[in-house]
């Protein structure tokens, strides 16, 4: 799920952060998601990330990302 965190103003910009958690995702899907986020035209930055294998299946992961969307204002 997606959990909004906070909104900060920095040097004429706003930074809205959120935490994204995706469960039971395969490694290939996770790599594709990170690639798309990194190459997105939206002004996104990944603040932190973590991944761990699921208890039920060693080939599936839980991915947590703390991200920020930057905007003017």
């Amino acid at each position: 799920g997606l959990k909004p965190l906070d909104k900060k103003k920095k040097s004429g910009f706003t930074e809205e952060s959120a935490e994204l958690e995706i469960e039971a995702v395969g490694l290939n899907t996770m790599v594709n998601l990170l690639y798309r986020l990194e190459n997105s035209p939206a002004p996104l930055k990944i603040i932190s990330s973590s991944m761990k294998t699921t208890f039920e299946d060693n080939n599936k992961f839980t991915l947590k990302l703390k991200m920020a969307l930057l905007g003017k204002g």
Side-chain angles (χ1 to χ4, degrees):
L2 185 64
K3 181 174 99 176
L5 297 176
D6 58 358
K7 186 175 185 176
K8 299 178 196 172
K9 290 195 174 201
K10 293 182 178 182
S11 305
F13 290 92
T14 56
E15 181 179 294
E16 294 182 65
S17 59
E19 186 175 86
L20 175 66
E21 183 173 346
I22 304 172
E23 296 179 352
V25 64
L27 184 59
N28 189 45
T29 302
M30 196 166 42
V31 169
N32 285 331
L33 173 65
L34 292 171
Y35 177 82
R36 287 181 180 186
L37 288 172
E38 184 72 25
N39 292 290
S40 169
L44 289 172
K45 77 175 180 180
I46 297 174
I47 298 167
S48 65
S49 66
S50 68
M51 68 176 188
K52 61 182 179 179
T53 58
T54 60
F55 182 73
E56 299 82 17
D57 185 351
N58 287 351
N59 294 317
K60 298 290 182 182
F61 298 86
T62 297
L63 175 65
K64 279 189 181 181
L65 296 173
K66 184 176 177 186
M67 303 181 303
L69 177 64
L70 305 172
K72 292 183 180 179

